[in-house]
Amino acid sequence: MDAFTAGLLQRIRTAQTDLTRARETGDDFLAEVEQAELDDLHRLAAEHGVQVGAVTA
């Protein structure tokens, strides 16, 4: 796995963790921000042929 792929997958894991935490604490604004970040990261992965699948933290 190259550095770009590894870094992207790590950013996805982090965004997923942050999104879960925001939802659990009821922070709707932060949840929206994290969801947008996650959507952007998934788009970036698709554009570069990175298979995301079920990335877990």
Side-chain angles (χ1 to χ4, degrees):
M1 178 181 307
D2 62 32
F4 173 79
T5 301
L8 183 57
L9 293 175
Q10 179 58 47
R11 289 179 62 194
I12 289 171
R13 283 189 291 274
T14 299
Q16 287 176 330
T17 299
D18 293 346
L19 175 58
T20 299
R21 186 175 300 118
R23 287 178 175 164
E24 287 173 348
T25 61
D27 190 336
D28 295 334
F29 176 74
L30 184 56
E32 287 183 31
V33 169
E34 293 301 338
Q35 184 62 61
E37 174 73 5
L38 195 54
D39 292 344
D40 286 343
L41 291 169
H42 279 276
R43 178 192 49 77
L44 184 62
E47 287 176 359
H48 291 276
V50 175
Q51 295 292 328
V52 175
V55 176
T56 57

